[in-house]
Amino acid sequence: MLKLCRNTLGDWKILFDKNGETIKWVYFQHLVNLQDKVGLHAGTKIRRRHITYFKEKMKVKLATQTFSNSVANAIEFCSKTLNLNEFNGSESTIQFCKIMNDIFDLLNARNFLSKEQFKKPINLNNAINIKEFINKSINYLSNIQCETKSTNEKTLIITSSRKTGFLGLIICLKTIENLIDDVLVTKQMDFLLTYKLSQDHLEMFFSAIRSKGGFNNNPTAAQLEAAYKRLIVHTELATSSEANCLPIDRTNILTISSTQNKSKNAQNEDFLDLLCAEVESDNDGNFIIDQTELQYTHNVIEYIAGFVARKLKKK
């Protein structure tokens, strides 16, 4: 669903919230351009491939890393701290990004010990707050608007031709709300981890089946049987790093083997050598950087230095 929402914003470039404020794709492009020009990243995972997603539309991580809190904070930093003209009027885009991030976290809660608001399991203690967020998110998504190409009039996105992603998120949120009433309030379950309800496990299983036949999308019954036997007898369920869906927890496939792979002791890495390594550059230092980019560079370097100092202090 998140991929479809990303595709809609990326293809149409502009959406509108319920107040008529613009949600623009161009701010993500400006952020990537700034990071590429300066050579430092503002604590985000967004790169050029996230903007040119057309050949990787099925990669979930590209969509989630685009609509993340770190990207929203980076755009806000460029707008309010650096006062860059390219990021003027980005408040609605920042809000959209943060809401989409929180919705994804809520629908993929998997850590029982998490302390973050939307990543922790849903139980009776936080059910009221979760329901309030669900209703707020449904109201927000339901009122997002777009312009029709024929008449240039604004219409609700959930009634447009690109409604699938937004309607899908609304349905998922409504389902979680109903599950709270059905299984938590009635005390059939003590808590709910929403990631266990995800179809990611099935999609990764299909990816593993396809990989056994040279990524054959249409295996025969005999090929499916052979691939499944190999999976449950010889190996755990694993997917390629280039697969459309990546595992984010350790859900194991049911096997008939009692042996377990012994984990190797992690080797200590010399981080100081890594930090002090010299990298050859074709620019030879001959580039011009303006005052705003210099301020951006100073802020990023200060953040990195503080992070390294904190890690070293803990040791």
Side-chain angles (χ1 to χ4, degrees), residues 279-297:
V279 180
E280 295 183 0
S281 174
D282 296 333
N283 294 328
D284 296 328
N286 296 324
F287 58 90
I288 300 175
I289 185 169
D290 60 30
Q291 187 63 32
T292 303
E293 293 168 355
L294 185 62
Q295 184 182 359
Y296 170 87
T297 304

PDB file of all heavy atoms in Angstrom, residues 279-297:
ATOM      1  N   VAL A 279      40.068   8.634   1.306  1.00  0.00           N
ATOM      2  CA  VAL A 279      39.350   8.282   0.089  1.00  0.00           C
ATOM      3  C   VAL A 279      39.800   9.209  -1.024  1.00  0.00           C
ATOM      4  O   VAL A 279      39.781  10.436  -0.871  1.00  0.00           O
ATOM      5  CB  VAL A 279      37.819   8.405   0.291  1.00  0.00           C
ATOM      6  CG1 VAL A 279      37.098   8.045  -0.992  1.00  0.00           C
ATOM      7  CG2 VAL A 279      37.372   7.513   1.444  1.00  0.00           C
ATOM      8  N   GLU A 280      40.210   8.618  -2.128  1.00  0.00           N
ATOM      9  CA  GLU A 280      40.647   9.424  -3.255  1.00  0.00           C
ATOM     10  C   GLU A 280      39.449  10.037  -3.949  1.00  0.00           C
ATOM     11  O   GLU A 280      38.410   9.410  -4.106  1.00  0.00           O
ATOM     12  CB  GLU A 280      41.433   8.557  -4.241  1.00  0.00           C
ATOM     13  CG  GLU A 280      42.743   8.032  -3.666  1.00  0.00           C
ATOM     14  CD  GLU A 280      43.517   7.250  -4.698  1.00  0.00           C
ATOM     15  OE1 GLU A 280      43.014   7.129  -5.830  1.00  0.00           O
ATOM     16  OE2 GLU A 280      44.618   6.775  -4.379  1.00  0.00           O
ATOM     17  N   SER A 281      39.578  11.248  -4.362  1.00  0.00           N
ATOM     18  CA  SER A 281      38.488  11.954  -5.020  1.00  0.00           C
ATOM     19  C   SER A 281      38.979  12.547  -6.326  1.00  0.00           C
ATOM     20  O   SER A 281      40.125  12.978  -6.441  1.00  0.00           O
ATOM     21  CB  SER A 281      37.943  13.061  -4.110  1.00  0.00           C
ATOM     22  OG  SER A 281      36.980  13.825  -4.782  1.00  0.00           O
ATOM     23  N   ASP A 282      38.093  12.552  -7.293  1.00  0.00           N
ATOM     24  CA  ASP A 282      38.437  13.126  -8.589  1.00  0.00           C
ATOM     25  C   ASP A 282      38.362  14.645  -8.583  1.00  0.00           C
ATOM     26  O   ASP A 282      38.837  15.306  -9.496  1.00  0.00           O
ATOM     27  CB  ASP A 282      37.489  12.583  -9.666  1.00  0.00           C
ATOM     28  CG  ASP A 282      37.657  11.079  -9.846  1.00  0.00           C
ATOM     29  OD1 ASP A 282      38.769  10.587  -9.569  1.00  0.00           O
ATOM     30  OD2 ASP A 282      36.680  10.419 -10.261  1.00  0.00           O
ATOM     31  N   ASN A 283      37.722  15.201  -7.518  1.00  0.00           N
ATOM     32  CA  ASN A 283      37.537  16.647  -7.497  1.00  0.00           C
ATOM     33  C   ASN A 283      38.802  17.396  -7.089  1.00  0.00           C
ATOM     34  O   ASN A 283      38.968  18.565  -7.414  1.00  0.00           O
ATOM     35  CB  ASN A 283      36.406  17.012  -6.525  1.00  0.00           C
ATOM     36  CG  ASN A 283      35.070  16.488  -7.009  1.00  0.00           C
ATOM     37  OD1 ASN A 283      34.841  16.399  -8.203  1.00  0.00           O
ATOM     38  ND2 ASN A 283      34.195  16.126  -6.071  1.00  0.00           N
ATOM     39  N   ASP A 284      39.710  16.707  -6.328  1.00  0.00           N
ATOM     40  CA  ASP A 284      40.948  17.317  -5.844  1.00  0.00           C
ATOM     41  C   ASP A 284      40.676  18.589  -5.039  1.00  0.00           C
ATOM     42  O   ASP A 284      41.481  19.511  -5.003  1.00  0.00           O
ATOM     43  CB  ASP A 284      41.887  17.659  -7.014  1.00  0.00           C
ATOM     44  CG  ASP A 284      42.341  16.396  -7.735  1.00  0.00           C
ATOM     45  OD1 ASP A 284      42.461  15.348  -7.057  1.00  0.00           O
ATOM     46  OD2 ASP A 284      42.566  16.460  -8.956  1.00  0.00           O
ATOM     47  N   GLY A 285      39.482  18.644  -4.411  1.00  0.00           N
ATOM     48  CA  GLY A 285      39.157  19.789  -3.570  1.00  0.00           C
ATOM     49  C   GLY A 285      38.771  21.030  -4.331  1.00  0.00           C
ATOM     50  O   GLY A 285      38.561  22.085  -3.742  1.00  0.00           O
ATOM     51  N   ASN A 286      38.668  20.944  -5.641  1.00  0.00           N
ATOM     52  CA  ASN A 286      38.347  22.124  -6.437  1.00  0.00           C
ATOM     53  C   ASN A 286      36.845  22.210  -6.672  1.00  0.00           C
ATOM     54  O   ASN A 286      36.339  21.894  -7.738  1.00  0.00           O
ATOM     55  CB  ASN A 286      39.084  22.061  -7.782  1.00  0.00           C
ATOM     56  CG  ASN A 286      40.581  22.111  -7.603  1.00  0.00           C
ATOM     57  OD1 ASN A 286      41.074  22.796  -6.713  1.00  0.00           O
ATOM     58  ND2 ASN A 286      41.299  21.380  -8.444  1.00  0.00           N
ATOM     59  N   PHE A 287      36.114  22.576  -5.646  1.00  0.00           N
ATOM     60  CA  PHE A 287      34.689  22.788  -5.812  1.00  0.00           C
ATOM     61  C   PHE A 287      34.281  23.990  -4.972  1.00  0.00           C
ATOM     62  O   PHE A 287      34.934  24.354  -3.996  1.00  0.00           O
ATOM     63  CB  PHE A 287      33.883  21.552  -5.415  1.00  0.00           C
ATOM     64  CG  PHE A 287      34.100  21.109  -3.997  1.00  0.00           C
ATOM     65  CD1 PHE A 287      33.306  21.595  -2.981  1.00  0.00           C
ATOM     66  CD2 PHE A 287      35.115  20.203  -3.690  1.00  0.00           C
ATOM     67  CE1 PHE A 287      33.504  21.193  -1.679  1.00  0.00           C
ATOM     68  CE2 PHE A 287      35.315  19.801  -2.388  1.00  0.00           C
ATOM     69  CZ  PHE A 287      34.510  20.294  -1.375  1.00  0.00           C
ATOM     70  N   ILE A 288      33.198  24.603  -5.383  1.00  0.00           N
ATOM     71  CA  ILE A 288      32.725  25.813  -4.719  1.00  0.00           C
ATOM     72  C   ILE A 288      31.488  25.468  -3.905  1.00  0.00           C
ATOM     73  O   ILE A 288      30.580  24.795  -4.382  1.00  0.00           O
ATOM     74  CB  ILE A 288      32.391  26.909  -5.754  1.00  0.00           C
ATOM     75  CG1 ILE A 288      33.639  27.246  -6.566  1.00  0.00           C
ATOM     76  CG2 ILE A 288      31.838  28.147  -5.063  1.00  0.00           C
ATOM     77  CD1 ILE A 288      33.381  28.233  -7.686  1.00  0.00           C
ATOM     78  N   ILE A 289      31.451  25.912  -2.666  1.00  0.00           N
ATOM     79  CA  ILE A 289      30.318  25.646  -1.791  1.00  0.00           C
ATOM     80  C   ILE A 289      29.845  26.974  -1.212  1.00  0.00           C
ATOM     81  O   ILE A 289      30.651  27.792  -0.757  1.00  0.00           O
ATOM     82  CB  ILE A 289      30.717  24.651  -0.679  1.00  0.00           C
ATOM     83  CG1 ILE A 289      29.510  24.271   0.174  1.00  0.00           C
ATOM     84  CG2 ILE A 289      31.819  25.197   0.196  1.00  0.00           C
ATOM     85  CD1 ILE A 289      29.784  23.102   1.099  1.00  0.00           C
ATOM     86  N   ASP A 290      28.552  27.220  -1.263  1.00  0.00           N
ATOM     87  CA  ASP A 290      28.042  28.498  -0.776  1.00  0.00           C
ATOM     88  C   ASP A 290      27.837  28.447   0.735  1.00  0.00           C
ATOM     89  O   ASP A 290      28.035  27.422   1.384  1.00  0.00           O
ATOM     90  CB  ASP A 290      26.751  28.887  -1.503  1.00  0.00           C
ATOM     91  CG  ASP A 290      25.651  27.858  -1.319  1.00  0.00           C
ATOM     92  OD1 ASP A 290      25.626  27.204  -0.265  1.00  0.00           O
ATOM     93  OD2 ASP A 290      24.816  27.712  -2.230  1.00  0.00           O
ATOM     94  N   GLN A 291      27.418  29.578   1.301  1.00  0.00           N
ATOM     95  CA  GLN A 291      27.322  29.705   2.751  1.00  0.00           C
ATOM     96  C   GLN A 291      26.280  28.756   3.333  1.00  0.00           C
ATOM     97  O   GLN A 291      26.481  28.172   4.401  1.00  0.00           O
ATOM     98  CB  GLN A 291      26.973  31.159   3.112  1.00  0.00           C
ATOM     99  CG  GLN A 291      27.004  31.451   4.608  1.00  0.00           C
ATOM    100  CD  GLN A 291      28.386  31.265   5.205  1.00  0.00           C
ATOM    101  OE1 GLN A 291      29.387  31.496   4.535  1.00  0.00           O
ATOM    102  NE2 GLN A 291      28.444  30.836   6.461  1.00  0.00           N
ATOM    103  N   THR A 292      25.161  28.610   2.641  1.00  0.00           N
ATOM    104  CA  THR A 292      24.100  27.732   3.141  1.00  0.00           C
ATOM    105  C   THR A 292      24.560  26.282   3.169  1.00  0.00           C
ATOM    106  O   THR A 292      24.332  25.556   4.137  1.00  0.00           O
ATOM    107  CB  THR A 292      22.848  27.862   2.258  1.00  0.00           C
ATOM    108  OG1 THR A 292      22.440  29.232   2.222  1.00  0.00           O
ATOM    109  CG2 THR A 292      21.719  27.017   2.809  1.00  0.00           C
ATOM    110  N   GLU A 293      25.218  25.856   2.102  1.00  0.00           N
ATOM    111  CA  GLU A 293      25.721  24.488   2.057  1.00  0.00           C
ATOM    112  C   GLU A 293      26.818  24.277   3.093  1.00  0.00           C
ATOM    113  O   GLU A 293      26.963  23.187   3.646  1.00  0.00           O
ATOM    114  CB  GLU A 293      26.232  24.173   0.654  1.00  0.00           C
ATOM    115  CG  GLU A 293      25.122  24.133  -0.395  1.00  0.00           C
ATOM    116  CD  GLU A 293      25.666  24.114  -1.809  1.00  0.00           C
ATOM    117  OE1 GLU A 293      26.901  24.231  -1.954  1.00  0.00           O
ATOM    118  OE2 GLU A 293      24.868  23.995  -2.755  1.00  0.00           O
ATOM    119  N   LEU A 294      27.588  25.333   3.366  1.00  0.00           N
ATOM    120  CA  LEU A 294      28.617  25.238   4.395  1.00  0.00           C
ATOM    121  C   LEU A 294      27.983  25.033   5.770  1.00  0.00           C
ATOM    122  O   LEU A 294      28.466  24.236   6.580  1.00  0.00           O
ATOM    123  CB  LEU A 294      29.477  26.507   4.385  1.00  0.00           C
ATOM    124  CG  LEU A 294      30.686  26.518   5.330  1.00  0.00           C
ATOM    125  CD1 LEU A 294      31.661  25.410   4.951  1.00  0.00           C
ATOM    126  CD2 LEU A 294      31.378  27.875   5.288  1.00  0.00           C
ATOM    127  N   GLN A 295      26.888  25.738   6.025  1.00  0.00           N
ATOM    128  CA  GLN A 295      26.176  25.562   7.291  1.00  0.00           C
ATOM    129  C   GLN A 295      25.605  24.152   7.400  1.00  0.00           C
ATOM    130  O   GLN A 295      25.650  23.532   8.459  1.00  0.00           O
ATOM    131  CB  GLN A 295      25.051  26.598   7.405  1.00  0.00           C
ATOM    132  CG  GLN A 295      24.315  26.563   8.740  1.00  0.00           C
ATOM    133  CD  GLN A 295      23.187  27.568   8.800  1.00  0.00           C
ATOM    134  OE1 GLN A 295      22.958  28.316   7.849  1.00  0.00           O
ATOM    135  NE2 GLN A 295      22.465  27.584   9.908  1.00  0.00           N
ATOM    136  N   TYR A 296      25.070  23.655   6.291  1.00  0.00           N
ATOM    137  CA  TYR A 296      24.564  22.274   6.257  1.00  0.00           C
ATOM    138  C   TYR A 296      25.689  21.294   6.580  1.00  0.00           C
ATOM    139  O   TYR A 296      25.525  20.371   7.390  1.00  0.00           O
ATOM    140  CB  TYR A 296      23.977  21.992   4.876  1.00  0.00           C
ATOM    141  CG  TYR A 296      23.632  20.542   4.612  1.00  0.00           C
ATOM    142  CD1 TYR A 296      22.393  20.023   4.969  1.00  0.00           C
ATOM    143  CD2 TYR A 296      24.545  19.688   3.998  1.00  0.00           C
ATOM    144  CE1 TYR A 296      22.073  18.699   4.723  1.00  0.00           C
ATOM    145  CE2 TYR A 296      24.235  18.363   3.748  1.00  0.00           C
ATOM    146  CZ  TYR A 296      22.997  17.875   4.104  1.00  0.00           C
ATOM    147  OH  TYR A 296      22.690  16.558   3.861  1.00  0.00           O
ATOM    148  N   THR A 297      26.852  21.507   5.972  1.00  0.00           N
ATOM    149  CA  THR A 297      28.002  20.628   6.205  1.00  0.00           C
ATOM    150  C   THR A 297      28.431  20.650   7.663  1.00  0.00           C
ATOM    151  O   THR A 297      28.687  19.607   8.274  1.00  0.00           O
ATOM    152  CB  THR A 297      29.181  21.052   5.306  1.00  0.00           C
ATOM    153  OG1 THR A 297      28.760  21.042   3.935  1.00  0.00           O
ATOM    154  CG2 THR A 297      30.356  20.109   5.483  1.00  0.00           C
TER     155      THR A 297
END
